[in-house]
Amino acid sequence: MTAPAPLPPAPLPPPAARWFRRRHRVDAPRLRLVCFPHAGGSPAAYRTWHRHLPEDVEVLAVCYPGRQDRIGDPFPAGVAELADEVTAALAPLRDVPVALFGHSMGALLAYEVAVRLAADPGGPPPVRLFVSGSPAPHLVDHSALGPATDEDLLALVDALGSDSTDALRIPALRELLMPGIRADFRLLAHYRADTTTPTAVPVVACTGDDDPVCPVEAARAWSATTVSAFELDVFPGGHFYLESLEAELLGRVTGHLRSDLRFRTTLQHGATQSAPQSAAQSAAQSAPQSAAQSAQTH
């Protein structure tokens, strides 16, 4: 007898459906991992991540305006406006714990969203913030990108070595993708974090040991953004180390999330045997960690 075809995934509630893309639906998620793409990136950057995570972790990739089916949506005026909209869209999805992961520009946006969620009395803070390939917010100064031409931006994107830049060599696709690239780099050119707002959200900073955008010490400076636990994971590779080391990176992410939610099973099964406990709650029950903020290289 032929097995019945799986039912299509239920749609995300509005306005979440406008902002998030989900490759693999989890019927009863224990946690949602919200992923923020790099400048010029799209949800496709996270299309295979669910394969390397426990079965009860649901991956939601943020879809910025001007990407995929949002190609005609207006671009935000700044990172703060973008963070406000993503935070509002997350409201109906905070029925289970949420963790945030962002790469490059996405790391800055994930941080801004984490600050907003942590200050929101209507729901729990994120259990963890993963920031990848970006200096800490107070070190960021991309003002030189302001007058950059399309040729300058394309050269910069190509030099960083992402596999996704192959599409930019096709004239028709380049014409389609350039508005989003311009908009993202404009956001970066105007982003300023004059003061760093520390939160109680534990932070893990990740970078490649040969990343020209985010040297190891610039990643280590993310420790100033949290009064909770901080860890530094350094991987071999450049700015897009996570493309070739996806499984290794997500093994590390899974380890952190198991700790946050007290996962007791293997990566393959991903089931849990105890109630979730946020890392902030764990920190409150353990010895103070400002001197104990750990930095690990990998």
Side-chain angles (χ1 to χ4, degrees):
M1 178 180 294
T2 304
L7 294 174
L12 293 169
R18 180 173 169 235
W19 281 96
F20 305 110
R21 301 295 174 266
R22 180 178 57 186
R23 274 298 175 113
H24 178 72
R25 180 191 174 191
V26 177
D27 288 326
R30 294 279 289 176
L31 178 141
R32 291 189 171 101
L33 179 63
V34 182
C35 300
F36 297 76
H38 58 278
S42 75
Y46 301 106
R47 64 189 179 279
T48 57
W49 275 37
H50 65 276
R51 300 175 186 171
H52 305 288
L53 292 166
E55 291 177 357
D56 50 8
V57 171
E58 185 167 71
V59 177
L60 298 176
V62 179
C63 186
Y64 304 143
R67 300 334 117 96
Q68 297 185 347
D69 57 347
R70 301 194 64 191
I71 204 73
D73 286 4
F75 298 110
V79 170
E81 177 185 322
L82 185 55
D84 288 343
E85 294 199 50
V86 174
T87 301
L90 271 173
L93 301 175
R94 295 174 70 189
D95 55 323
V96 298
V98 168
L100 309 178
F101 181 100
H103 181 66
S104 200
M105 181 189 82
L108 299 173
L109 181 56
Y111 162 71
E112 294 289 345
V113 171
V115 169
R116 287 158 173 75
L117 291 177
D120 178 13
V127 296
R128 195 168 291 261
L129 170 64
F130 298 91
V131 289
S132 170
S134 173
H138 57 287
L139 300 182
V140 170
D141 182 0
H142 293 305
S143 55
L145 292 171
T149 65
D150 284 1
E151 290 71 24
D152 294 333
L153 296 179
L154 287 170
L156 174 59
V157 170
D158 190 59
L160 293 176
S162 171
D163 294 340
S164 63
T165 58
D166 290 344
L168 295 173
R169 296 183 175 89
I170 303 170
L173 289 178
R174 184 168 62 245
E175 183 178 352
L176 189 66
L177 296 172
M178 275 310 300
I181 293 174
R182 285 189 214 106
D184 289 352
F185 279 100
R186 184 180 69 247
L187 293 183
L188 284 174
H190 292 95
Y191 178 76
R192 298 290 183 277
D194 295 328
T195 58
T196 299
T197 303
T199 74
V201 179
V203 173
V204 177
C206 306
T207 194
D209 61 6
D210 195 29
D211 186 347
V213 176
C214 183
V216 171
E217 290 309 308
R220 195 187 308 276
W222 279 96
S223 62
T225 66
T226 181
V227 296
S228 185
F230 172 77
E231 294 184 43
L232 172 65
D233 286 345
V234 180
F235 295 82
H239 189 59
F240 285 99
Y241 72 91
L242 68 176
E243 292 182 346
S244 60
L245 297 178
E246 179 175 294
E248 189 172 355
L249 169 64
L250 292 177
R252 297 289 298 171
V253 169
T254 296
H256 290 300
L257 296 181
R258 281 180 178 156
S259 172
D260 295 333
L261 296 182
R262 299 187 180 276
F263 282 161
R264 305 210 178 197
T265 58
T266 64
L267 176 64
Q268 289 77 13
H269 296 290
T272 57
Q273 297 178 345
S274 65
Q277 180 182 42
S278 74
Q281 290 172 322
S282 297
Q285 296 171 3
S286 61
Q289 263 208 338
S290 92
Q293 284 185 327
S294 57
Q296 300 179 358
T297 57
H298 188 78

